Amino acid sequence: MDCRAFRARLRGPAADAPDRTGPGAGRLDEAARRHAAACPKCAADLRAFTLLALGSPAGAAPGPGPGFEERLRARLASEAARAGAGAARPEASWLDAIGWLARPALGMAAALVVASAGLYVWVAPGPSPSGSVDLAQMVEGDPVLDRLLAGETVGFLASPSLDEEAPPAGAAEEER
Amino acid sequence: MRDAAADPGPAERGGAEEALLVARAAAGDAPAFDDLVRRFKDRVFRLARRFVRSHEDAEEIVQEVFLKVHRSLPGYRAGGPFEHWILRVATNACRDALRRRRRRAEVTVSQIADNPGAWLDAALSGASLDAARAEAARLLAADLLDLLPPKDRIVLVLMDLEGMSAAEVAAATGSTRAAVKVRAMRARRSLRRLAERVPRRRT
Ligand SMILES: [Zn+2]
């Protein structure tokens, strides 16, 4: 078994069973175990993977417990009631007035943030002369980097400041 | 024998059915929304459970996710499978939960207590432990993982534990495949470093 086959064996959807104390080790066959014993790099990979699986258990329950949907319905109903009460209020309070005054200012602040984020993407000196955008294009679909992704030492890609990507634009869940 | 050209496959039929369901829920049809909740609650729960310490905390995240979905549905425009969109809401909720906890996290590697440290080292070395020690090791492992940037941890869990591809993770996090790959490389390196810093008690 080589390092690549070892890593393929290590990761994946069957990575850990909830009742297992040594998550990574449990899914390795004899050949994989022999490889890890002889290969310090894969042994380190196994140790790291085991830490991840141990600290991120899937839990024993397959889903939320009984009463989940009823609780959700109750919360939705109280949200709707609050929204309804807000809409039905005859007079706006002074707090609302402040809210309305503040809104254009908030809008301008938000526009500034968006504008400066865009500026940052364009002008920020990247960790390499080509900058992170070029790097992203380079990584896309590159089979060599696909293999690097599987755990090889990454050299020039290893800069810590690389991947603070911009927040997802126009994500519906970001509204409100 | 069915005519392949005239009869769409089960995947297409399922997709069309789901799109109809989502449209009805977005228009305020409560039974349709309930149906969406039933379809996706276990998937969202399974994801959330990876990042929190208790069943209850995971349930609270799932509640938040569906409240948010309910509020955002009227503005939802299908640009892919609904599951991608809901996973995106869910990964955002998990990221927020991780950020809140990270601010409170106080453990540092140098503060690892002797016994749990030894048990964690044993667990990382593949030894089996009794239930109490295994639980202590698990909690310490979770504390250590809190030291990772939330986005790194999400990518690691989705790819290495859930077995999702970079493209799937990109869809579920509103990122690009390239950005996910770069982040995964960095996150795995940080994780290796974290695991190496757990003091080794045995040889
Ligand atoms: Zn190896």
Side-chain angles (χ1 to χ4, degrees), chain A residues 11-12 16 45 47 54 56 65 68-69 71 75 79 136 140 146 149 158 160 163 168 173-174, chain B residues 34 41 50 59-60 63 71 88 92 121 138 160-161 177-178 181 183 186 188-189 192 195 198:
Chain A
R11 299 185 174 118
D16 61 332
D45 222 21
R47 191 173 168 88
L54 197 64
S56 321
F68 174 84
E69 290 170 50
R71 284 197 297 283
R75 282 171 81 167
E79 267 202 1
E140 184 75 47
D146 272 332
L149 175 63
D163 54 351
E173 70 272 22
E174 297 292 345
Chain B
D34 289 348
K41 67 182 165 68
R50 298 267 192 197
E59 272 204 14
E60 179 52 30
Q63 291 264 333
R71 288 195 293 261
R88 197 162 161 190
N92 278 343
D121 177 50
R138 225 189 284 276
D160 292 354
L161 296 183
R177 197 165 144 264
K181 285 186 190 181
R183 185 174 285 280
R186 194 185 86 174
R188 285 175 187 159
R189 208 185 55 240
R192 274 196 298 274
V198 175

Side-chain angles (χ1 to χ4, degrees), chain B residues 74-96:
Chain B
Y76 169 73
R77 298 286 173 273
F82 185 71
E83 186 179 7
H84 290 173
W85 186 70
I86 199 165
L87 281 180
R88 197 162 161 190
V89 179
T91 52
N92 278 343
C94 293
R95 185 200 58 202
D96 292 345

